[in-house]
């Protein structure tokens, strides 16, 4: 008499490099396909994975400088004639948005925060560009404190 275990076998969730390369280059690969890969640690990737023809273009996204900070602000708060304003969202003239963007960029430290972190803050404050400018210094202090609290051992990133 066979007994069936009630335990479910969980998949490992790991794929070998060989398996990944076979998927990328094997029989099922398609001509004209665009594959986008992301990593926070390109230096940890095997050279076979990122050799030319597998990875034709590498783009590094660094921390935001003053120009990127101002562009992000304008992307969130500038509007076109085709835009329909959401209820409760303050719409400013684009000249005012550009001035507020310059003020915002002056208040955000350069090369300290990622564009994603800044965009997240802007979207949280999308109701009013003026409010975003008013609140950014408190956000900067809060983000710095959160980053200090995060220890490498607490991070999901494995050490090198």
């Amino acid at each position: 008499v066979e007994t069936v275990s009630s335990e479910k076998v969980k998949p490992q969730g790991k794929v070998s490099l060989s398996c990944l390369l076979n998927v990328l280059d094997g029989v099922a690969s398609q001509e004209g396909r665009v594959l986008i890969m992301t990593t926070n640690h390109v230096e940890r990737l095997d050279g076979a994975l990122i050799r030319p023809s597998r990875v034709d273009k590498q783009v590094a996204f660094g921390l935001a400088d003053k120009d990127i900070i101002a562009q992000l602000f304008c992307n969130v708060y500038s509007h076109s004639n085709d835009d329909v304003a959401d209820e409760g969202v303050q719409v400013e003239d684009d000249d005012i948005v550009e001035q507020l963007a310059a003020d915002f960029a002056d208040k955000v430290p350069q090369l300290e925060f990622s564009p994603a972190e800044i965009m997240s803050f802007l979207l949280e404050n999308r109701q009013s560009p003026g409010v975003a400018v008013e609140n950014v210094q408190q956000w900067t202090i809060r983000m710095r404190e959160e980053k200090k609290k995060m220890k490498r051992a607490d991070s999901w990133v494995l050490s090198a």
Side-chain angles (χ1 to χ4, degrees):
V1 176
E2 285 185 50
T3 59
V4 178
S5 172
S6 62
E7 287 184 35
K8 292 184 179 180
V9 177
K10 292 184 180 181
Q12 292 292 324
K14 295 183 180 183
V15 175
S16 70
L17 177 62
S18 176
C19 181
L20 179 59
L21 296 178
N22 283 333
V23 169
L24 295 176
D25 297 337
V27 179
S29 68
Q30 300 172 352
E31 188 66 31
R33 169 188 64 192
V34 175
L35 173 67
I36 298 173
M37 296 186 281
T38 64
T39 182
N40 288 334
H41 300 282
V42 70
E43 70 280 358
R44 294 184 185 173
L45 298 178
D46 190 288
L49 180 62
I50 58 173
R51 71 166 168 76
S53 84
R54 285 201 182 109
V55 174
D56 295 322
K57 182 148 182 98
Q58 289 188 23
V59 178
F61 294 98
L63 299 175
D65 63 14
K66 192 171 188 171
D67 290 335
I68 295 296
I69 295 166
Q71 284 178 7
L72 290 169
F73 190 94
C74 289
N75 287 346
V76 171
Y77 298 110
S78 294
H79 67 280
S80 70
N81 294 335
D82 298 333
D83 288 345
V84 176
D86 292 335
E87 193 172 320
V89 175
Q90 180 181 343
V91 177
E92 298 284 0
D93 181 84
D94 284 345
D95 291 334
I96 293 172
V97 170
E98 287 183 22
Q99 179 56 51
L100 288 170
D103 293 344
F104 182 79
D106 286 339
K107 291 182 177 185
V108 177
Q110 288 195 77
L111 305 175
E112 186 172 336
F113 300 105
S114 72
E117 290 171 319
I118 294 166
M119 183 61 87
S120 178
F121 168 79
L122 292 171
L123 292 175
E124 288 172 10
N125 291 276
R126 69 180 166 270
Q127 298 81 6
S128 169
V131 170
V133 173
E134 289 173 18
N135 292 337
V136 72
Q137 287 178 316
Q138 292 85 5
W139 172 81
T140 300
I141 292 166
R142 189 175 71 245
M143 290 295 291
R144 285 175 173 163
E145 288 172 359
E146 287 176 15
K147 287 181 179 190
K148 283 181 185 176
K149 288 179 187 176
M150 181 182 239
K151 296 178 183 172
R152 185 109 177 125
D154 297 334
S155 175
W156 59 270
V157 178
L158 300 175
S159 59

